[in-house]
Amino acid sequence: MRILGIETSCDDTSSAVIEAQKEKIKSLSSIVSSQNKLHEIYGGIVPEVASRAHIETIIPAIKESLKRSKSSLKNIDLISVTRGPGLVGSLLIGINTVKTISFVNNLPIVCVNHLEGHIYANFVDQKERIEFPLIVLIVSGGHTMLVYMKDHLKYKILGQTKDDAAGEAFDKVARALGLGYPGGAIIEKISKEGDPEKFKFPKAEMESKIIRLESGYLKKLPPNLDFSFSGLKTAVINEVRKHKTKNKSFIADIVASFQKTSVDILVAKTIWAAERKKVKTVLISGGVAANAILRKELQKKCQIQGFNFFAPPKNLCTDNAAMIAAAGYFKYKNKGPDLLEKIKVNPNLKLGK
Ligand code: KG4
Ligand code: ZN
């Protein structure tokens, strides 16, 4: 079946067309109209600016994705759209556009969770079969989460960030250094020139805990699977403030050390989760999954431990609509379409809802 995907949960207006059959998903087009330039001057996303930009770009993005996939609404079988989590104004533009297209063209709609979309980016243009059970690390600007999946659409959150998401920490460190927005890709680029061992930054939530049992014996508990990136971000910013001269090589060393610390934490916790749940497969997803060091380190550790490792192509790690169409396909196969009159956005939608 041919699916049109629409994603407007944050600051990218995305539309894509996929062709899906059994477990095979082929991406036919993926349009992402980035608003980075609009938000750059503010150093972060301004919700009102994002909603207005979505209004202007959503129809051209849909038209372009249909054109590039050599489709028209006549040969689209299903529309898949993000209904949360995200910015309420941004989500409403996507949902209301889809409702109108569906009503006029009599097309079924399936709503998906944005995080579910990130996970299913792994299934787009994937040649190998992804075996369950699996662990997926979702690591983006809004979320950092370890999820156990026994099967398609079955999610159990094992751990998540208690404060900043990893991508948010990349963005805030980049902003503190005046490097630009969004910070992840910029930090990755500058880190290539730096020494990742130069600065030692703290790694939170990595320690084992010792508890006293009722019997009086002490028991060592393994580290939990939650994350905390706020302390790391503050330590980096404090280190920057200590130095008067901030030349190129100092900045490169700082960001390379910050990137290494983040990657070490993400890789260690993902491997612990995979070991504890005795899975075969490890997936990574979300904007930070585009980071080459993170991909390389996690792949290396997975290989040593005997886990099959998958990562989406880099352009499908950051927000896009092909991943929303892919998640929508599995959801539709499992549960059918959503009723037009019951569809509502939910800015705080939880994974699995
Ligand atoms: O998934 P995404 O596009 O949006 C959210 O759902 O949040 O992720 C955006 C985040 C931003 O914080 C951005 O800095 C980060 O992903 N990011 C990266 C890289 N590319 C994007 N972080 C580290 N390395 C990268 N190459
Ligand atoms: Zn995202």
Side-chain angles (χ1 to χ4, degrees), residues 7 9-10 114-115 118 138 140-143 286-287 317-320 323:
E7 152 64 40
S9 68
C10 195
H114 179 77
L115 299 178
H118 275 305
I138 307 174
S140 71
H143 296 86
C317 288
T318 42
D319 290 350
N320 67 88
M323 68 184 198

Side-chain angles (χ1 to χ4, degrees), residues 7 9-12 45 85 114-115 118 138-143 165-172 174 181-189 258-259 285-294 314 316-320 323:
E7 152 64 40
S9 68
C10 195
D11 62 336
D12 291 310
I45 297 159
H114 179 77
L115 299 178
H118 275 305
I138 307 174
V139 66
S140 71
H143 296 86
E168 192 180 349
F170 271 81
D171 294 339
K172 287 178 176 169
Y181 171 84
I186 302 169
I187 286 183
E188 179 178 0
K189 193 166 166 227
F258 160 71
Q259 178 177 263
S285 64
V288 184
N291 186 285
I293 305 293
L294 175 58
K314 288 188 184 183
L316 296 184
C317 288
T318 42
D319 290 350
N320 67 88
M323 68 184 198

Side-chain angles (χ1 to χ4, degrees), residues 98-350:
V98 164
K99 278 185 173 180
T100 312
I101 296 175
S102 154
F103 184 73
V104 174
N105 298 278
N106 200 20
L107 281 170
I109 302 179
V110 66
C111 292
V112 305
N113 182 305
H114 179 77
L115 299 178
E116 207 167 28
H118 275 305
I119 296 173
Y120 276 91
N122 279 284
F123 289 79
V124 180
D125 295 328
Q126 182 55 255
K127 289 188 181 66
E128 284 172 53
R129 197 182 155 77
I130 297 179
E131 302 274 357
F132 291 90
L134 58 82
I135 291 290
V136 53
L137 171 69
I138 307 174
V139 66
S140 71
H143 296 86
T144 301
M145 198 181 261
L146 277 164
V147 180
Y148 170 70
M149 288 178 73
K150 211 161 92 182
D151 206 342
H152 279 297
L153 309 171
K154 298 216 171 358
Y155 313 103
K156 184 168 190 272
I157 299 171
L158 303 178
Q160 55 190 317
T161 185
K162 292 179 167 173
D163 38 60
D164 290 351
E168 192 180 349
F170 271 81
D171 294 339
K172 287 178 176 169
V173 165
R175 185 162 61 190
L177 287 162
L179 301 176
Y181 171 84
I186 302 169
I187 286 183
E188 179 178 0
K189 193 166 166 227
I190 299 176
S191 291
K192 286 184 186 142
E193 312 295 323
D195 174 5
E197 305 291 344
K198 184 84 184 198
F199 296 96
K200 294 279 170 262
F201 292 126
K203 295 179 185 170
E205 302 285 329
M206 299 289 279
E207 316 78 30
S208 307
K209 271 201 186 104
I210 299 194
I211 55 159
R212 188 174 291 280
L213 300 173
E214 264 177 36
S215 58
Y217 284 107
L218 295 178
K219 189 178 175 194
K220 193 171 175 188
L221 295 180
N224 69 49
L225 296 173
D226 286 328
F227 299 91
S228 166
F229 286 99
S230 166
L232 168 60
K233 170 201 69 188
T234 308
V236 174
I237 295 172
N238 287 343
E239 188 64 44
V240 172
R241 286 200 185 124
K242 275 201 274 176
H243 297 255
K244 274 208 185 83
T245 44
K246 297 175 185 67
N247 58 22
K248 245 177 136 182
S249 80
F250 167 76
I251 290 180
D253 290 343
I254 281 275
V255 295
S257 304
F258 160 71
Q259 178 177 263
K260 182 181 188 304
T261 311
S262 307
V263 167
D264 285 352
I265 297 166
L266 292 167
V267 170
K269 295 235 166 185
T270 308
I271 296 294
W272 290 340
E275 284 171 348
R276 279 180 215 174
K277 298 306 274 186
K278 300 187 173 43
V279 296
K280 296 179 175 149
T281 311
V282 171
L283 311 183
I284 189 170
S285 64
V288 184
N291 186 285
I293 305 293
L294 175 58
R295 294 163 81 98
K296 198 176 95 191
E297 289 303 313
L298 191 53
Q299 177 165 38
K300 207 160 76 186
K301 287 274 160 39
C302 282
Q303 208 167 7
I304 295 169
Q305 305 288 336
F307 303 125
N308 295 317
F309 173 73
F310 295 91
K314 288 188 184 183
N315 65 317
L316 296 184
C317 288
T318 42
D319 290 350
N320 67 88
M323 68 184 198
I324 300 302
Y329 169 65
F330 286 99
K331 218 161 172 187
Y332 180 77
K333 265 208 315 184
N334 206 270
K335 297 180 181 151
D338 287 304
L339 287 177
L340 187 69
E341 55 278 15
K342 291 214 168 145
I343 294 172
K344 281 201 184 89
V345 302
N346 181 348
N348 302 311
L349 190 66
K350 298 280 172 269

